Amino acid sequence: MYFFLSVQGGTTVIQCYLTWLQKVCQNVKEIRAHTILMAVHVFAFYPYACLEWLNTEGPLSLNKELAGKVVLLDFFTYCCINCMHILPDLHRLEKKHSVKDGLIIVGVHSAKFPNEKVVDNVRSAVLRYDICHPVVNDSEALLWHELEVSCWPTLVLLGPQGNLLFSLVGEGHRDKLTLFTDCALRHYGEQGLLKAHAVGIKLYRDSLPPSILSFPGKVAIDSSRKRLAIADTGHHRILVVSSTGQLLHVIGGPESGRQDGDLFEASFNSPQGLAIKGDTVYVADTENHLIRKIDLLEGRVSTLAGVGAQGTDREGGAMGPQQPISSPWDVTLGTAGGVEDNVLWIAMAGTHQIWAYFLADGKLPKGSESKAGMCVRWAGSGNEENRNNSYPHKAGFAQPSGLALAPEEPWSCLYVADSESSTIRTLALKDGAVKSLVGGERDPMNLFAFGDVDGKGVDAKLQHPLCVAWAPEQSLLYVADSYNHKIKVVDPKTKQCSTLAGTGEAGDTLGPEFNKSCFNEPGGICAGDGGKLLYVADTNNHRVKVLDLASKTVSLLPISMDCTDSVPSKLSGPAKAPTLPKSAARKEMPAVAVSAGQTLVMSLSLTLPEGTKLTEEAPSCWALSAEGHEWLLETPVVTGDIVDLSKPLSISTKLPAVIKDSNSNPSLTVGVWVYYCMETSNACMMKAASFTQPLQISASPGAEEVTVLLTHAF
């Protein structure tokens, strides 16, 4: 960490900083141990006006547009998880101090990977991470070298005359950054050196057309029910669709948040990895630093692990809601010393590790017993390395971003897409040993061994792969080689890696042949239909594409935004009423006196939340049943559709003329299942309720019919 102070910055700024140092240091020796370089450095952007600028009306210069401003330079590269971690700190500063107040933040994008030098890719990253300040594409690292920056991220604070004030290396310096920025603004404001003029900021996001998906990160499949879960990352939501693209559920979005509760209320923040099994979807809620659970049957979202803020713990071992975690990027179900699927494996990109969340009691390989709800590190020291080791805690990962489980012999491993080392690694389920499969090189400290080369083992080269998918039927591993804009296939037996689809150039062309199709930083992949199909989250193209491995063609997954559900649309004559979710409201009505042979009319009045409407073509319905007293009805269940709630529904039934069980206390039950969506968005959900109506049946004749009122507001 280096701190630069300008001589011409004035004693107030320096004294403010030294006062802070005295608070955090215990003695004068510790203060002197801090490296303070007193240097005069006037820096101007004029030589770099030819660089490509984003989120502005044109190039910015310290001698013109930025004169009289305190300028914070953020040197970043968009692949870097540490760079992502400081974005909330910058957002916080931007909310606290406006451009008019005298502060402006400028992102300086200096690429690690060749793919990151392309301005269109940088623009996509700016949109994906919701960066709202100017960004300059320093593709050849000119500004990087001018200020002698050595690593990502680096923050440099400049005074209103371009004088160098302060520099921070790495993440986790929010308090220091805020304190010194506040001091600088106060000092230069008192000196009258700040100017309140506007800077020509023009956000690219404001000109984008709407799209169904926004930077989809991952996709997962439930083959048994032919459903896909899609992380619609840019819209902060999860979509569940049929294998043909029919929308079944929308959870979260369009704004970010971290709320649990009903599907209608829940929110996420840039979710990535998904695992789906039955009616449960597990979510790596990346920028909330949480693991979430979506229960589609109960219609609820809950938090399994994380505290909602970035953690630095590299060991874990606490119960999920008390365990801080850092940028989980992918999840997959597995088994560890217990019942099937008792553990959720987590690619913890923020700490460069693989973690485990126990859904039921279990035990890590060569580890101690873990109780249900515990969240603990399984592999990775926490150092960012490409280090293989027989001992999982001594191995090193570099931003693991994708997981695929191969539990069957002889593989019995977890495949890991280790993005920053550009490798695919294996993690043995038996003993936790970490080994290299393809990519990278043997030097564990070299995180620059990337490229686009088909080959065997370390001779193969990848560029920032973000996801892997295992096809057990063919014993093949598929790789989203994200920055090469390709889908590759690996034979784990021979360690041979070869290109399956993609030209290597970013684009959105549907070949439809594999070798003529283009992708743009695909971030997610899963295998379906017995390994015959691949579903690819083509992230920067805002699409999900389908690769047919038999015909070797690529097509789009057409997502219909008419919200429906996988329940059959016609409930004609079922043997019993559909199952009510646990979250359904249940109302016990007062008993009503009726007579044998009389007609009972139930007037059902339902009210939807304000701003919502019934979902067209979705199977909203009612069902009348008499469980245990089936003799009350002519058929076991009477059903009907719900298509209009502007007036009460009338449900009538004629009671039997002969009472079969005069000693019982019979009752009828009306269940309702209602599907509705927000009028202003595509957020949809299902709610259910039931009414139990006890009957006091008399053999004496009565009026022709009797009416009861049933009301409920969702």
Side-chain angles (χ1 to χ4, degrees):
M1 187 189 309
Y2 296 91
F3 305 92
F4 298 86
L5 298 177
S6 168
V7 171
Q8 56 184 310
T11 58
T12 304
V13 176
I14 298 174
Q15 288 171 351
C16 179
Y17 175 61
L18 292 177
T19 300
W20 171 75
L21 278 182
Q22 289 169 348
K23 292 180 181 179
V24 297
C25 299
Q26 296 179 357
N27 53 53
V28 175
K29 290 183 180 179
E30 286 183 290
I31 295 176
R32 291 175 179 171
H34 285 76
T35 304
I36 302 178
L37 304 179
M38 309 297 288
V40 177
H41 185 90
V42 178
F43 178 74
F45 281 141
Y46 268 129
Y48 309 106
C50 59
L51 296 181
E52 298 156 314
W53 286 80
L54 302 170
N55 280 348
T56 68
E57 295 175 348
L60 302 180
S61 165
L62 286 177
N63 293 342
K64 279 190 174 183
E65 295 83 1
L66 302 179
K69 302 290 187 185
V70 171
V71 181
L72 179 62
L73 302 178
D74 171 28
F75 285 85
F76 76 108
T77 183
Y78 72 77
C79 69
C80 167
I81 193 68
N82 311 94
C83 300
M84 298 178 208
H85 285 164
I86 67 168
L87 289 176
D89 300 347
L90 302 184
H91 289 320
R92 184 183 178 191
L93 271 181
E94 287 174 309
K95 288 182 179 180
K96 185 176 182 181
H97 302 294
S98 67
V99 174
K100 186 176 180 180
D101 295 334
L103 175 68
I104 186 165
I105 298 173
V106 176
V108 183
H109 187 270
S110 304
K112 170 184 175 180
F113 293 100
N115 181 68
E116 293 177 311
K117 295 182 178 183
V118 181
V119 70
D120 287 342
N121 299 337
V122 180
R123 180 182 293 110
S124 293
V126 167
L127 291 168
R128 191 161 63 243
Y129 300 142
D130 195 26
I131 296 174
C132 298
H133 50 255
V135 173
V136 59
N137 181 23
D138 185 26
S139 59
E140 301 304 320
L142 298 176
L143 306 183
W144 172 282
H145 293 304
E146 178 71 24
L147 282 180
E148 299 182 357
V149 175
S150 60
C151 70
W152 304 278
T154 293
L155 296 171
V156 177
L157 193 68
L158 304 177
Q161 297 175 323
N163 44 310
L164 197 58
L165 298 177
F166 187 71
S167 179
L168 285 170
V169 175
E171 59 175 291
H173 305 303
R174 172 184 288 183
D175 293 341
K176 301 172 188 176
L177 177 63
T178 301
L179 174 66
F180 203 71
T181 302
D182 291 349
C183 290
L185 287 170
R186 183 169 66 250
H187 168 71
Y188 288 118
E190 292 171 352
Q191 297 296 313
L193 295 177
L194 295 182
K195 297 180 181 179
H197 64 275
V199 174
I201 295 177
K202 183 179 180 181
L203 299 183
Y204 183 68
R205 69 179 186 184
D206 294 338
S207 62
L208 285 179
S211 61
I212 294 176
L213 298 176
S214 175
F215 300 106
K218 302 288 185 186
V219 59
I221 190 166
D222 178 7
S223 297
S224 64
R225 300 196 181 186
K226 297 183 178 181
R227 297 190 298 185
L228 292 169
I230 302 169
D232 189 9
T233 308
H235 287 144
H236 309 288
R237 64 183 182 178
I238 307 301
L239 305 185
V240 179
V241 304
S242 71
S243 58
T244 58
Q246 186 65 51
L247 183 65
L248 307 177
H249 297 280
V250 180
I251 310 100
E255 302 300 325
S256 62
R258 52 165 293 195
Q259 184 173 345
D260 286 338
D262 291 345
L263 303 187
F264 191 70
E265 304 168 337
S267 54
F268 303 87
N269 192 350
S270 299
Q272 286 283 346
L274 302 169
I276 180 171
K277 181 180 180 182
D279 288 310
T280 303
V281 183
Y282 299 98
V283 182
D285 192 5
T286 304
E287 293 195 15
N288 275 328
H289 309 285
L290 298 173
I291 301 297
R292 314 285 290 282
K293 173 185 175 183
I294 302 173
D295 190 320
L296 298 175
L297 188 60
E298 292 191 11
R300 302 282 297 176
V301 175
S302 58
T303 295
L304 298 181
V307 298
Q310 182 191 345
T312 57
D313 184 4
R314 297 182 177 186
E315 299 294 332
M319 300 305 286
Q322 288 78 49
Q323 178 61 59
I325 59 177
S326 180
S327 298
W329 210 272
D330 202 8
V331 291
T332 192
L333 285 164
T335 304
V339 298
E340 183 180 359
D341 290 341
N342 70 326
V343 69
L344 191 69
W345 302 120
I346 306 168
M348 204 70 76
T351 55
H352 313 291
Q353 295 172 314
I354 307 300
W355 282 49
Y357 173 83
F358 281 89
L359 300 166
D361 292 355
K363 182 181 180 181
L364 289 174
K366 294 186 176 181
S368 57
E369 298 287 339
S370 296
K371 294 294 184 182
M374 181 180 289
C375 190
V376 63
R377 179 267 302 257
W378 179 26
S381 64
N383 297 324
E384 188 175 8
E385 299 173 332
N386 178 24
R387 188 177 299 279
N388 300 304
N389 202 291
S390 298
Y391 297 92
H393 290 184
K394 293 184 178 181
F397 294 94
Q399 206 170 306
S401 302
L403 301 174
L405 185 70
E408 58 277 349
E409 295 292 347
W411 321 114
S412 188
C413 70
L414 189 66
Y415 292 107
V416 180
D418 199 37
S419 61
E420 281 294 276
S421 67
S422 296
T423 63
I424 306 300
R425 322 274 287 282
T426 63
L427 182 53
L429 298 177
K430 181 179 179 180
D431 56 15
V434 177
K435 298 180 180 179
S436 172
L437 183 62
V438 296
E441 70 159 49
R442 292 179 177 84
D443 180 359
M445 303 304 294
N446 185 359
L447 302 183
F448 288 79
F450 51 78
D452 184 8
V453 180
D454 291 350
K456 183 177 180 180
V458 295
D459 292 331
K461 291 293 179 280
L462 308 169
Q463 188 181 177
H464 200 76
L466 286 174
C467 202
V468 281
W470 175 244
E473 298 83 0
Q474 295 81 22
S475 295
L476 293 175
L477 184 72
Y478 296 96
V479 180
D481 191 7
S482 306
Y483 284 8
N484 283 325
H485 316 291
K486 287 183 175 182
I487 305 301
K488 294 185 177 180
V489 59
V490 178
D491 182 342
K493 185 176 181 179
T494 63
K495 292 190 174 184
Q496 185 69 36
C497 176
S498 57
T499 298
L500 177 70
T503 64
E505 297 294 329
D508 195 21
T509 303
L510 292 173
E513 296 88 350
F514 282 179
N515 61 356
K516 295 181 181 179
S517 295
C518 294
F519 304 89
N520 194 337
E521 294 189 11
I525 188 171
C526 67
D529 195 17
K532 299 175 184 177
L533 299 176
L534 296 178
Y535 296 91
V536 176
D538 195 6
T539 304
N540 286 357
N541 283 325
H542 315 291
R543 302 175 185 271
V544 172
K545 293 179 178 176
V546 184
L547 278 64
D548 188 318
L549 297 177
S551 63
K552 297 189 182 301
T553 57
V554 181
S555 61
L556 293 179
L557 178 69
I559 299 177
S560 168
M561 291 309 291
D562 293 328
C563 188
T564 66
D565 195 88
S566 54
V567 177
S569 58
K570 297 294 181 182
L571 300 173
S572 56
K576 63 178 184 178
T579 302
L580 283 165
K582 294 179 181 179
S583 60
R586 290 170 166 81
K587 294 189 173 184
E588 185 81 18
M589 308 304 294
V592 61
V594 293
S595 300
Q598 193 174 44
T599 297
L600 175 64
V601 179
M602 287 163 282
S603 180
L604 179 60
S605 179
L606 303 173
T607 305
L608 297 180
E610 185 177 354
T612 64
K613 62 180 180 179
L614 278 176
T615 306
E616 295 179 4
E617 300 182 2
S620 296
C621 64
W622 57 265
L624 176 64
S625 60
E627 189 173 352
H629 307 281
E630 284 78 4
W631 56 271
L632 286 170
L633 302 174
E634 293 181 359
T635 60
V637 179
V638 180
T639 67
D641 295 330
I642 298 175
V643 294
D644 182 11
L645 294 181
S646 63
K647 56 185 179 180
L649 301 169
S650 182
I651 302 171
S652 62
T653 183
K654 186 176 179 62
L655 299 175
V658 178
I659 302 174
K660 294 184 178 181
D661 189 357
S662 59
N663 295 322
S664 67
N665 296 306
S667 63
L668 294 171
T669 299
V670 177
V672 294
W673 293 260
V674 176
Y675 296 78
Y676 57 89
C677 295
M678 291 287 293
E679 292 177 343
T680 57
S681 71
N682 294 316
C684 304
M685 69 180 311
M686 185 274 283
K687 287 287 188 179
S690 71
F691 306 83
T692 300
Q693 180 61 69
L695 304 177
Q696 295 176 346
I697 304 178
S698 170
S700 302
E704 184 176 345
E705 66 179 38
V706 61
T707 300
V708 295
L709 300 178
L710 309 176
T711 63
H712 180 66
F714 290 103

